[in-house]
Amino acid sequence: MSGPVAVPTPGSGQSAAAVGHRPGLAVPSVLEVLRRLDSGPRGLTEAQAEERLARAGANTVPAQRAASWPRLFVRSLRDPFTAVLLCLGVVSAAVFAWGTASVILLLVVVSCVLRASGEHRADRSMAGLRELVATTATVLRRVDDEGTAATPTVREVPVAELVPGDVVRLGPGDLVPADVRLLRASGLTVHQAALTGESAPVAKCADDTPRRAGGGVFDQPQLCFQGSSVASGSATAVVTATGAHTRFAAAHGRVSGRAEASAFDRSVHGISWILIRFMLLTPPLVLMANAALRGRGLETLPFAVAVAVGLTPEMLPVIVTTCLARGASLLARTHRVIVKRLPALHDVGAIDVLCLDKTGTLTQDRPVVDRALGPGGQDDSGVLHWAAVNAWWNLQLADLPAPDALDEAILDAADEDTLMAYDGTAAIPFDPRRRLATAVVRTPGRLGTHTLVVKGDVEAVLQRCTLPEDDRERLRVLAADQADGGLRVLAVATAERPARARDYTPADERGLTFRGLVTLRDALAPTAVDALNVFNERGVTVKILTGDHPGTAARACRDLGIPVAEDGVLTADRIDGLTDADLADLARRTTVFARCTPEHKARIIRALQTAGHTVGFLGDGVNDLPALRAADVGIAPRGAADVAREGADVVLAEKDLTAIAHAIRAGRHASGNIATYLHITLSSNLGNVIAMLSAGLLLPFLPMLPAQVLVQNLCFDAAQLAFAYDRPHPSVLRRPTALRPRDLLRFITAFGVINATADLATFGILAFALHGPGTGDDEAVFHSGWFTENLLTQALVMLLLRAGRHRVEGHRPGPLTWAAAALAAIGLLLPPSPLGPWLGLTALPAVYYLLLTAVLVLYIAVLLAGRARYERRRAERGTTW
């Protein structure tokens, strides 16, 4: 052939679909594909291959480079709250508040180092997992001899040198080196788990057979794809796409796209911008109020900046990163779960809907025999016996590399001793077109007689049996009833023939006697029931998104105790007819989504998110990438396709639901501590700022010196580190922790007002009971009294407002208790200590402590009453925080 070569070239945008299959169009014939590729059954010449290699490039998958540690550090600075802290640090330095600026800068650096280090460790843990592509391929190449094409020779070439139009040969155990279109195939089955996540091998053939309705491109029997492997049989195929144009590489490209903000990012950003508005508004208000009412000028700028810093939960980046890093590190050490992005751990804890396929999670990657039924529908062990004879001698005589999963299940259930009574003479292996497998054995006790044992598709077996039409139809109905119940069904038949020496062929599979049916179901995963119970206790709803038959998925759910209502199963054809709003409403009530394509899975996840759910998705194939990207948390096992692992947020050592349950617990543990920190710190800070602004307007002097504000913040910040190490109450783990900005704003406003009221009461005590005219100590007494009261109230808030504060009697005090005690001790001991005068503090009279005790008792009572009211409302909504 001498026409222009239709070879995909880098940057052309042409993919495997361009020369192999286009969704929605008729399947191109072998001749059409060869013409488009300007190739033939004898392959390419060496000169053609070299030319195309130079034009199309090497057949390699583009590598995904992990971000370096410095890049991760810089990326951490993008956080809006971190950026605001940096701005406050710059302002503090501009007004020569070097202490405040140094502390802020230190907090930012520590936070970014922790986050970058955690994500860098996760990237290193993911390295070295790209072993899905073959290294050499068997190819037909010709050498031109003075313009005459020579006879093609079979040779091994590096996979990187394959080009579109090359003709390759595939055998058992071979990895498919590129996207190919089959030219010839014999008994070919292919493992596509790396692409689709389905563990069972898929039958392939070279005929122009239409694909299953509603199936994706991976269901096309004429096409095989890079990343899959040959389970059995052999084939000759033409390469249709290489390198960056394969389906495998296209999936890599989708992974590299920028993901949408996660649930954690959205919630923290919402909270951050609320605080940012307050912080940007506070300094101008303080300056204007002091200038208007007190005639003060820029000398109050350090105080204004200190007030803004006082409102800021400056430890937020450190607390968040420490909580998430500790949880991720513990998961990696104890459960071998890798969290690739630290914020993803929070999102795992926030999951309230978990979407997954049934195979390998709810069920194992193998079937088991359910029943053996005779022609009348009754139990008949003889049917299983004949099925096992067929499976055993096919394995022995058909040169199969390994038993088929269904045959292995039959052999496991059969009595092996009875198989030894037969002597196999021939086997006709399973063929995707015949849908049958036949074994020929010598009949025990009957010399000169051979028995043909045929097993396979029910319809294919019935067509070859000698049966009245009424009986044939009755058996079809019986088989259909079993299949509708979620079982796989095989038919078994036998025939006796006179012994002969010549070979048996498919033409001998006729005039059979129907023996019965063997039904098989998926073996349940041993840990699935326990994991599902944990999910139920923690408010996580499981939904099944599968390409399987709806009955098969529903059967696995019923066996595991997952309730499936009559309208709880939805198939892909019904999904296609629903609007997004209707699907969002229906998805909440549906348990099983069957016959799903990758696009269906992603759409279902988006519908659940529209309904207000935080969705996790467990997937392991290339076809799961759209759903992994759409979910709030993408989860993949270590054995998943390379691109699925790269596109996931969390990687499991095994495809085990128990590991996800552990990850959810760790996520909620970390999220609970973060939420507790935010609620307590912001409410306390807001109360202090309200009181400080009020005092600044009422008093003739600054209510607290900038150095005192800084020391107070440092003490409170140090104590707040304990939040990262707190042990949440079990109730915190029962529901997802939701960081809703509006709910948080209501909480901090209510309890901030309570804190401000306590502060204002302290002002009254200091103004009327402890005023010492003529002593000149008014400012020092006021500063010292408020300093002590501030630290005491903050210590009380840490203990009384933390989530799940009720502890089992006899439990040792936790880190938060010790931190609160230390904070209270500093508040009481620092003013009268030798360090007090250095900070402008002084000893207080005993009467102050008596009056302060009365204020604190009332404060505790109001706090507990407010907390009880808040918990009642939270219980009514069924939420945590």
Side-chain angles (χ1 to χ4, degrees):
M1 299 181 184
S2 59
V5 183
V7 181
T9 56
S12 67
Q14 192 173 5
S15 67
V19 291
H21 170 71
R22 294 176 184 173
L25 298 182
V27 179
S29 67
V30 170
L31 184 58
E32 289 173 329
V33 172
L34 290 174
R35 282 177 176 171
R36 292 176 188 174
L37 293 167
D38 193 14
S39 184
R42 298 194 304 162
L44 302 174
T45 66
E46 292 290 353
Q48 286 176 318
E50 290 178 6
E51 178 190 356
R52 297 187 185 192
L53 183 62
R55 216 181 328 154
N59 179 34
T60 56
V61 177
Q64 295 285 331
R65 294 185 60 185
S68 63
W69 192 94
R71 187 172 181 179
L72 291 173
F73 181 88
V74 173
R75 188 186 300 171
S76 301
L77 295 173
R78 296 179 187 173
D79 179 78
F81 201 82
T82 302
V84 169
L85 282 178
L86 282 175
C87 292
L88 286 174
V90 171
V91 173
S92 299
V95 297
F96 305 107
W98 301 112
T100 302
S102 300
V103 171
I104 291 176
L105 180 61
L106 177 63
L107 293 174
V108 169
V109 170
V110 169
S111 171
C112 292
V113 166
L114 288 173
R115 176 168 293 189
S117 299
E119 295 188 6
H120 187 60
R121 283 195 301 270
D123 286 342
R124 284 190 302 174
S125 299
M126 291 295 298
L129 295 178
R130 301 163 52 87
E131 300 294 338
L132 293 176
V133 181
T135 56
T136 62
T138 305
V139 65
L140 294 180
R141 289 277 177 87
R142 295 176 287 134
V143 179
D144 280 346
D145 185 8
E146 296 182 357
T148 302
T151 302
T153 58
V154 179
R155 52 177 294 199
E156 291 287 319
V157 301
V159 164
E161 296 180 7
L162 283 182
V163 295
D166 262 329
V167 174
V168 296
R169 290 184 176 176
L170 303 172
D174 286 347
L175 294 177
V176 179
D179 289 358
V180 301
R181 206 289 188 190
L182 297 177
L183 303 178
R184 293 182 297 277
S186 175
L188 182 67
T189 59
V190 175
H191 282 295
Q192 296 187 150
L195 303 167
T196 65
E198 294 296 330
S199 59
V202 179
K204 298 286 185 177
C205 64
D207 298 340
D208 297 333
T209 305
R211 63 177 175 172
R212 172 174 63 81
V217 67
F218 297 115
D219 295 316
Q220 192 67 8
Q222 300 86 2
L223 303 180
C224 296
F225 300 92
Q226 186 182 58
S228 56
S229 62
V230 177
S232 63
S234 60
T236 301
V238 61
V239 174
T240 59
T242 59
H245 304 287
T246 62
R247 295 269 171 178
F248 195 80
H252 272 267
R254 289 195 295 272
V255 171
S256 63
R258 185 179 178 85
E260 295 182 2
S262 67
F264 175 77
D265 293 332
R266 291 193 299 271
S267 60
V268 170
H269 286 186
I271 294 167
S272 297
W273 283 112
I274 290 175
L275 297 175
I276 287 168
R277 293 185 184 98
F278 274 111
M279 288 185 293
L280 295 177
L281 186 62
T282 299
L285 285 178
V286 173
L287 289 173
M288 288 188 295
N290 277 276
L293 298 180
R294 294 295 176 183
R296 302 181 186 126
L298 290 178
E299 68 270 14
T300 60
L301 182 58
F303 174 71
V305 172
V307 171
V309 173
L311 178 63
T312 306
E314 58 267 30
M315 292 296 290
L316 177 60
V318 176
I319 296 294
V320 167
T321 305
T322 304
C323 287
L324 297 179
R326 289 188 70 246
S329 177
L330 183 64
L331 276 176
R333 288 198 313 270
T334 60
H335 304 295
R336 296 193 298 165
V337 175
I338 299 173
V339 180
K340 294 172 58 181
R341 284 187 314 105
L342 288 183
L345 183 62
H346 169 274
D347 295 339
V348 173
I351 288 174
D352 60 352
V353 173
L354 177 63
C355 297
L356 45 84
D357 196 353
K358 68 175 185 61
T359 306
T361 50
L362 300 179
T363 62
Q364 300 181 55
D365 292 340
R366 65 181 182 86
V368 294
V369 171
D370 185 66
R371 296 176 68 188
L373 304 175
Q378 76 285 0
D379 290 332
D380 186 347
S381 59
V383 178
L384 180 61
H385 165 76
W386 285 116
V389 170
N390 173 284
W392 176 257
W393 287 110
N394 258 280
L395 178 62
Q396 301 301 317
L397 301 176
D399 195 25
L400 299 176
D404 176 83
L406 300 180
D407 284 349
E408 195 169 21
I410 290 171
L411 292 173
D412 287 342
D415 183 357
E416 293 185 6
D417 293 338
T418 62
L419 301 179
M420 301 299 104
Y422 294 88
D423 185 13
T425 62
I428 308 174
F430 178 84
D431 186 296
R433 290 172 294 183
R434 290 169 37 248
R435 296 172 294 164
L436 297 173
T438 297
V440 182
V441 298
R442 293 188 179 93
T443 307
R446 297 186 63 181
L447 296 177
T449 302
H450 285 172
T451 300
L452 276 72
V453 186
V454 181
K455 170 175 62 65
D457 177 75
V458 174
E459 186 60 35
V461 171
L462 288 176
Q463 289 175 359
R464 292 163 172 79
C465 290
T466 304
L467 286 169
E469 190 57 37
D470 290 347
D471 287 348
R472 204 186 311 272
E473 185 59 31
R474 178 181 56 80
L475 291 170
R476 287 192 184 103
V477 173
L478 174 63
D481 289 342
Q482 299 299 314
D484 290 341
L487 299 172
R488 304 184 202 186
V489 185
L490 296 174
V492 182
T494 62
E496 293 189 351
R497 301 280 191 269
R500 72 188 194 201
R502 59 188 172 87
D503 292 340
Y504 285 88
T505 68
D508 295 303
E509 298 168 338
R510 54 182 175 77
L512 307 178
T513 301
F514 187 80
R515 290 290 183 175
L517 304 173
V518 176
T519 62
L520 302 100
R521 57 179 173 80
D522 292 328
L524 302 180
T527 60
V529 173
D530 292 338
L532 290 170
N533 289 335
V534 173
F535 291 149
N536 185 55
E537 292 173 359
R538 293 179 183 166
V540 178
T541 302
V542 173
K543 295 186 182 292
I544 313 301
L545 279 57
T546 180
D548 281 353
H549 188 281
T552 304
R555 172 65 179 253
C557 290
R558 288 194 296 269
D559 290 345
L560 288 166
I562 301 175
V564 181
E566 292 184 3
D567 60 346
V569 179
L570 194 62
T571 54
D573 54 346
R574 289 186 59 197
I575 294 174
D576 291 333
L578 295 173
T579 65
D580 291 342
D582 291 339
L583 180 59
D585 180 63
L586 194 56
R588 293 185 295 104
R589 307 192 304 269
T590 303
T591 303
V592 176
F593 300 85
R595 299 296 192 198
C596 289
T597 65
E599 292 72 23
H600 287 131
K601 294 180 181 180
R603 189 181 173 207
I604 291 164
I605 288 172
R606 286 192 290 268
L608 290 167
Q609 291 170 328
T610 300
H613 296 288
T614 301
V615 183
F617 177 77
L618 173 63
D620 55 5
V622 172
N623 67 331
D624 288 325
L625 276 172
L628 285 168
R629 301 287 286 176
D632 294 291
V633 185
I635 308 170
R638 182 177 58 184
D642 192 18
V643 287
R645 290 195 303 269
E646 291 181 10
D649 302 302
V650 177
V651 178
L652 313 176
E654 304 293 341
K655 197 175 181 182
D656 185 1
L657 290 181
T658 303
I660 300 178
H662 290 308
I664 289 175
R665 176 184 175 85
R668 292 189 180 175
H669 187 139
S671 301
N673 285 345
I674 293 170
T676 300
Y677 163 78
L678 282 171
H679 284 75
I680 291 175
T681 301
L682 292 178
S683 59
S684 179
N685 287 0
L686 180 62
N688 287 342
V689 166
I690 293 173
M692 200 173 295
L693 291 175
S694 301
L697 298 177
L698 295 174
L699 298 174
F701 50 82
L702 290 177
M704 191 172 287
L705 300 178
Q708 295 166 352
V709 174
L710 177 61
V711 170
Q712 178 180 278
N713 286 342
L714 284 175
C715 294
F716 197 24
D717 289 345
Q720 288 167 354
L721 280 174
F723 284 110
Y725 302 89
D726 193 27
R727 298 184 295 269
H729 191 270
S731 62
V732 176
L733 307 177
R734 292 174 190 161
R735 290 289 181 272
T737 300
L739 291 174
R740 299 185 179 92
R742 291 186 179 180
D743 291 346
L744 179 63
L745 186 59
R746 284 194 290 267
F747 181 96
I748 65 176
T749 301
F751 286 94
V753 169
I754 295 175
N755 291 338
T757 303
D759 289 342
L760 293 174
T762 304
F763 296 168
I765 293 173
L766 294 169
F768 298 106
L770 300 178
H771 181 59
T775 64
D777 292 335
D778 289 357
E779 292 187 31
V781 169
F782 186 91
H783 293 160
S784 302
W786 195 17
F787 182 89
T788 298
E789 184 266 348
N790 257 338
L791 293 187
L792 290 176
T793 54
Q794 287 175 343
L796 289 172
V797 166
M798 289 176 64
L799 294 177
L800 298 179
L801 289 189
R802 84 181 193 264
R805 67 188 186 282
H806 305 294
R807 298 286 168 181
V808 179
E809 290 186 8
H811 201 293
R812 290 182 303 173
L816 210 59
T817 302
W818 290 113
L823 196 63
I826 292 173
L828 292 170
L829 300 177
L830 184 59
S833 73
L835 294 176
W838 287 87
L839 297 173
L841 302 175
T842 186
L844 295 164
V847 67
Y848 166 77
Y849 296 104
L850 294 177
L851 295 172
L852 179 61
T853 300
V855 171
L856 293 180
V857 169
L858 291 174
Y859 176 68
I860 291 172
V862 175
L863 271 185
L864 292 177
R867 173 66 194 239
R869 185 167 180 263
Y870 170 77
E871 286 186 337
R872 284 195 303 270
R873 290 189 173 183
R874 189 188 67 189
E876 292 170 359
R877 296 194 304 266
T879 60
T880 300
W881 277 122

